[in-house]
Amino acid sequence: MTTSPAVAAPPGSAPASPVPPTAPPRGRRRPWDRPPRWQIHLPLGLYLLFTLVPFYWMLLFAVRPTGSTSLLPWPMTGAHFAKVWTERGFATFFANSAVVGVCSLVMTTVVALAGGYALARFRFRGRSAFMLGLLCSQFIPGALMLVPLFQIFAQLRMINSLGSVIVAETVFQLPLSMMLLSGFIRNVPQALEEAAWVDGCGRLTAFRVVVLPLLRPGLVATGSFAFVHSWNHFLFALMFLSAQDKQTIPVGLATLMSADSVDLGALAAGGVVAAVPVVLVFAFIQRWLVTGFSAGAVKG
């Protein structure tokens, strides 16, 4: 059985135009089309409701008089805030948490910036093993290190001092912060530094003038992570601080609960006091935070 040969187009004729794809029938959506608005707003609304209801309940107990069963924050009272701030010592707890958070932020950011620059710009023997060690250190819970840390701080006479909590928080946050800043620095072209070297700048000056301004989103992301972790961490402050005037807010919240009874109004007011600084920090740095985490992501 023979087949007829294909008929060639005559010379000089225009090539046949491709057949346009047929449009999908009306009423049928393709997978890549924009979904209806309700498919976006309904899940987000449910998630927002699930997230905000506990915060509303905490705020309700904080401003509602003792014994009231109203589901609306009216009438309002500030007695619970005055009680935890003056009688329960939350003014001191707040100041101690602020000192621990700010000092941990500064120390973590400075040390992680130096280590991240070394990992991103230099090639040295054992670099891969070092980064693997940093990654594996994140698998170790802090509770396993309490005994050796307590012995070290006891020999250094740092027990019952805010310095012990600051050092412990900095040490445990450094591995992740160093890896994050290393990713940020890799995204900055090294040609910018080399151009500054040609213009007569040293390595430190080129880093300060050229690289550091471009790392602002990464520094904000890393610093905010360090501050929030130090502000909310309970274990180190509980183990290394015994004096009442040295405790932080998480430990102070634990003192509001006893085996016999719990003052819900005071506990809710203390929770609001503990949550307000974190909310304000994230509201202020929101525009840099998303950019920073996306810039430091690993690209495949």
Side-chain angles (χ1 to χ4, degrees), residues 73-300:
W74 191 262
M76 299 176 63
T77 179
H80 300 307
F81 291 98
K83 181 179 181 179
V84 300
W85 194 259
T86 56
E87 298 180 14
R88 298 304 182 95
F90 262 66
T92 303
F93 301 157
F94 189 93
N96 294 336
S97 293
V99 171
V100 171
V102 173
C103 292
S104 300
L105 182 155
V106 173
M107 292 178 60
T108 301
T109 304
V110 171
V111 179
L113 184 61
Y117 183 84
L119 291 175
R121 289 290 190 255
F122 298 103
R123 298 293 180 266
F124 51 88
R125 181 177 299 178
R127 177 176 173 272
S128 300
F130 180 77
M131 295 193 67
L132 181 62
L134 290 179
L135 183 62
C136 292
S137 66
Q138 299 301 296
F139 304 149
I140 303 175
L144 295 180
M145 305 300 295
L146 286 178
V147 174
L149 282 176
F150 191 90
Q151 292 180 348
I152 292 173
F153 291 145
Q155 293 177 0
L156 296 176
R157 297 183 179 180
M158 294 179 63
I159 296 297
N160 202 25
S161 170
L162 293 179
S164 61
V165 181
I166 294 172
V167 172
E169 293 288 350
T170 302
V171 169
F172 274 87
Q173 295 174 47
L174 269 179
L176 181 59
S177 301
M178 194 177 298
M179 288 187 292
L180 284 175
L181 283 178
S182 175
F184 296 134
I185 296 173
R186 286 195 191 96
N187 290 332
V188 178
Q190 192 171 359
L192 298 178
E193 290 183 81
E194 294 173 352
W197 298 342
V198 172
D199 291 339
C201 295
R203 182 178 290 274
L204 183 61
T205 304
F207 174 79
R208 179 176 55 85
V209 176
V210 177
V211 179
L212 195 59
L214 300 177
L215 295 179
R216 184 178 301 175
L219 294 175
V220 170
T222 305
S224 61
F225 174 79
F227 176 82
V228 172
H229 186 274
S230 302
W231 181 272
N232 294 329
H233 205 193
F234 171 78
L235 191 59
F236 291 154
L238 177 66
M239 295 302 298
F240 301 148
L241 304 175
S242 57
Q244 183 75 13
D245 59 343
K246 298 292 185 180
Q247 293 176 349
T248 58
I249 279 186
V251 181
L253 288 174
T255 61
L256 298 177
M257 297 180 291
S258 62
D260 300 329
S261 63
V262 178
D263 190 346
L264 294 179
L267 185 62
V272 172
V273 171
V276 165
V278 178
V279 173
L280 293 179
V281 167
F282 276 101
F284 178 73
I285 67 174
Q286 181 182 7
R287 59 174 179 172
W288 292 295
L289 191 62
V290 177
T291 304
F293 278 122
S294 61
V298 178
K299 299 181 179 179

Side-chain angles (χ1 to χ4, degrees), residues 1-6:
M1 182 176 180
T2 59
T3 57
S4 59

